[in-house]
Amino acid sequence: MTSLPKMIVDCDPGHDDAIALVVAAHFADLVGVTTVAGNAPITATTRNARIVLDMIGSSVPLHQGAQRPLVAPPRHAAYVHGESGLDGADLPEPSRPADSQNAVDFIVETCRATEGIWLVPTGPLTNIALALRAAPDLADRIAGISLMGGGSFGNRSAAAEFNIWADPEAASIVFDYGKRLIMSGLDVTHRLQATPERIAKVRALPGRLAAVLADLFDFFSQVYVSRHDNMRGGAVHDPCAVLALTHPQLFTCKDHHVVVETHGELTMGMTLIDQRGLVERETPNCTVQWDVDAEAAFNVIVAAIAAFSK
Ligand code: BDR
Ligand code: CA
């Protein structure tokens, strides 16, 4: 039997981050969770992570991280996730505090103690960049980085996806780190939509967790459907970065050279994917997900929720 991939999920819950945590807790060896400011301020994203871990009965280490980007001003996404970062459901009060406010130390110490851990960032890349800068040896200790962010088009601007746009300097450090890198960008995540039929599968599961997650899916999907011309549900972004490791067969991928724009007046935070078929194209540094078997991927998500819903 092959062992589950070990991972630290670095997140800013966030509706889709919450789902990513549930998938990681069931299908991966989740060695810790770290939080970052992004969809909401750091106290809110940490509180939300505490609630999600409570709801699935997980006692994995939870460490609070960066409260603002490296250079860019702090900017959040209440227009997608609500002021709390997790609007739309009646959530329990969290029982557990975070274990520390030093997510970067936790990442460094854990990856030094155990070789072969995947870092799975599903928010702005501030903590990951700080860890790579604080401990350059990490690049050779980890299995790789599987992140949700970027794409060949944007959502926060025409060019930039939110996680990269929120902290482009941090993202640039991560894309330049030189080792295994997998990118779940908008090209693939917009193909995995929480349609009404798929949300109904979650709502049909027993127990409070499934009811809460179905409410969160409903809120998130209503936002997406109302804000886009042609979507039938919320884009289930963040779980793709986990599924890339637990269920890689779901995805169609190709290796490319990808850089982050940190100067452009109109393109700040863009991930420039070299798709040229020319011999002089740059050497690939990133595996880019382009397509997903959406029905099968959502069924894996339902299975993860079901595992905590008995
Ligand atoms: C990303 O931004 C956030 O709103 C989501 O949680 C996801 O990580 C999508 O652009
Ligand atoms: Ca996120």
Side-chain angles (χ1 to χ4, degrees):
M1 185 181 144
T2 52
S3 56
L4 302 177
K6 290 184 190 303
M7 61 178 68
I8 295 172
V9 175
D10 181 68
C11 56
D12 63 336
H15 297 67
D16 51 331
D17 303 79
I19 304 296
L21 286 174
V22 176
V23 174
H26 183 59
F27 284 113
D29 180 358
L30 181 62
V31 299
V33 174
T34 51
T35 58
V36 66
N39 287 325
I42 189 66
T43 48
T45 60
T46 304
R47 175 186 160 83
N48 294 341
R50 292 162 60 203
I51 292 170
V52 173
L53 293 178
D54 270 355
M55 285 198 302
I56 59 174
S58 171
S59 55
V60 295
L62 168 64
H63 295 266
Q64 177 168 302
Q67 60 175 298
R68 55 152 299 155
L70 297 185
V71 179
R75 292 172 295 195
H76 308 299
Y79 56 95
V80 176
H81 299 273
E83 289 296 335
S84 73
L86 219 44
D87 276 16
D90 183 15
L91 299 172
E93 283 298 307
S95 68
R96 60 178 295 178
D99 295 301
S100 87
Q101 317 248 314
N102 295 311
V104 173
D105 287 352
F106 170 76
I107 292 169
V108 171
E109 286 162 17
T110 306
C111 294
R112 279 183 174 157
T114 304
E115 203 165 345
I117 294 174
W118 281 92
L119 300 180
V120 181
T122 62
L125 291 154
T126 321
N127 290 336
I128 306 298
L130 288 169
L132 291 170
R133 280 291 190 260
D137 55 299
L138 236 55
D140 290 318
R141 299 285 302 164
I142 60 176
I145 299 174
S146 177
L147 65 86
M148 190 280 135
S152 67
F153 59 93
N155 56 8
R156 189 56 187 79
S157 75
E161 180 279 330
F162 175 78
N163 289 340
I164 309 299
W165 171 89
D167 195 342
E169 287 76 15
S172 180
I173 289 170
V174 171
F175 276 83
D176 284 350
Y177 96 107
K179 301 287 178 175
R180 188 103 171 80
L181 181 65
I182 305 172
M183 171 174 141
S184 303
L186 297 178
D187 302 273
V188 73
T189 66
H190 274 225
R191 291 171 181 245
L192 178 52
Q193 296 179 19
T195 61
E197 300 79 21
R198 290 175 182 157
I199 297 173
K201 293 186 189 179
V202 178
R203 200 169 286 290
L205 296 171
R208 184 168 186 193
L209 174 74
V212 165
L213 294 180
D215 286 348
L216 291 176
F217 268 129
D218 272 341
F219 178 92
F220 188 60
S221 284
Q222 278 161 19
V223 170
Y224 267 78
V225 170
S226 68
R227 286 171 54 84
H228 290 81
D229 292 336
N230 53 4
M231 291 187 75
R232 292 195 61 242
V236 189
H237 306 282
D238 293 338
C240 290
V242 176
L243 293 170
L245 306 175
T246 61
H247 296 76
Q249 69 280 8
L250 294 172
F251 297 95
T252 305
C253 302
K254 193 169 178 199
D255 291 347
H256 299 274
H257 190 264
V258 183
V259 287
V260 175
E261 173 61 81
T262 55
H263 296 292
E265 186 185 344
L266 303 175
T267 53
M268 179 74 125
M270 175 183 183
T271 47
L272 181 60
I273 306 169
D274 192 339
Q275 298 186 65
R276 293 176 295 175
L278 287 168
V279 288
E280 65 261 35
R281 66 181 175 270
E282 303 277 350
T283 306
N285 63 339
C286 182
T287 299
V288 178
Q289 291 178 338
W290 289 110
D291 201 1
V292 59
D293 181 341
E295 200 59 31
F298 203 86
N299 285 341
V300 171
I301 290 170
V302 173
I305 299 169
F308 296 107
S309 300
K310 292 179 175 117

